[in-house]
Amino acid sequence: MDYQSLLQEIRTYGSKGWAIVYGVSGAGEYERAAGGAWITGHKGKRFLDCGSFALFMFGHGNSKILTALQDLLSDGLSGTSRVLCHAELAVALESLVALAPSHLQKAMFLNSGSEAVEAAIKLCRLKTKRKKLAHLSGSYHGKTAGALSLTDHAGFKADAHPLLQDVVRIERENAIELETALATGDIAGLFVEAVQGEGGIHPVEPAFLQTAYKLCRQYGTLLVADEIQSGLGRTGRLWAFERSNIEPDIVLAGKSLGGGIVPVSALIASESAFSPFDHNPYLHSSTYGGNPLACRTVIAVTEIAQAKNFLPDVEQKGAWIESALEHLHNQFSDVLSACTGFGLMRGLHFSSNIYAATTLEYCLKTGLLLSPCLSNPTVLRLVPPYCLERSDVDYMHGVLQQALHHCRTLQESS
Ligand SMILES: Cc1ncc(COP(=O)(O)O)c(C=O)c1O
């Protein structure tokens, strides 16, 4: 199918809006094949994938994950009756809990990040018998009704009201505001991202997270670390909250957990926080949650993440990127005002929305995928897979250099 016909089908049978977005962002090609850190379009153009909304931490078509899935299918088990249990579930639960800090001993599988957030909302309320929930400014927790209630984005919420009542928004890093809210003793759960993704790759101050942790303990609020974007090694630690030495009661994983192939997310919790779901499994369930394909993927992903050289590899590649970005920032500080983040989760902060949009488009046309930040139009995300090579970082640096130069030329000519 040619590109225009494909867009026409999407426009006719799907969202016209998506057809417009793909028309602008597709660089005239749709994706046809992918391997490692590269995607190939239907006409053969190649794109280095530093975008994809942080989905491909383990690379495109990771052979370990694909083999695990093929083995499962050829073994004869492709789905689950949900009446009988299956071995994949037991092994996946054990593997994921083993990857989590030792105070977290229970897990449950769902299908998307937002769904894991919904499960956490319910668990906080069931466990504490309180109704109120709190989140930080700049947060993104998803777009289902509950998750959207905890997302700090007026535009996404517009006309979707009424969402959840009893939600408190706390200014990020304002410990006084946080204490005032928690001291009321009626907040069930505080949701945090240790490194905010969609909000603009903003690492939340460790001192603030430690205060939040202590206050949650003091006032009986459950602390929920949303690691859907930052988890599974993306920041150079298995979990981004580990930089802050805190022990969240509930941790959420998604995106990378499915290897970019199978939709799967997870809620991981302490035995105590998990107790309502322990006592009554029907309080939260999902027909496809924890299906054999998802579980086999989780097993493969946790094996990769546990390998001795995985985190050092992420650190090494993160350091290459950091020095490339530092160089660009020094050269173009009028356009690129700051670079933030850790490991393979980096934010490029521009001095205007226009520069961010121009850079995104220029890179796309040249063969470099970046992701916008859904809640912060001045920031672009650089979230590549860990199989990135030194030559890929040089390529990324070269394309970004041209894009920033292009922005400067536009500025000078306006
Ligand atoms: C931190 C965080 N939480 C939740 C979500 C929602 O995940 P999903 O899009 O899979 O529902 C996202 C998605 O970007 C996210 O970054």
Side-chain angles (χ1 to χ4, degrees), residues 112-114 117 140-142 193 198 226 228-229 255:
S112 71
S114 300
V117 172
Y140 184 90
H141 296 292
E193 294 158 86
E198 308 294 342
D226 180 341
I228 288 164
Q229 185 159 164
K255 291 194 187 265

Side-chain angles (χ1 to χ4, degrees), residues 332 334-335 352-362 402-414:
F332 296 97
D334 51 327
V335 178
S352 83
N353 296 357
I354 309 281
Y355 289 153
T358 305
T359 301
L360 186 66
E361 194 187 338
Y362 186 97
Q402 291 166 30
L404 295 170
H405 182 73
H406 177 64
C407 288
R408 189 181 271 165
T409 314
L410 287 181
Q411 179 193 32
E412 284 164 1
S413 63
S414 67

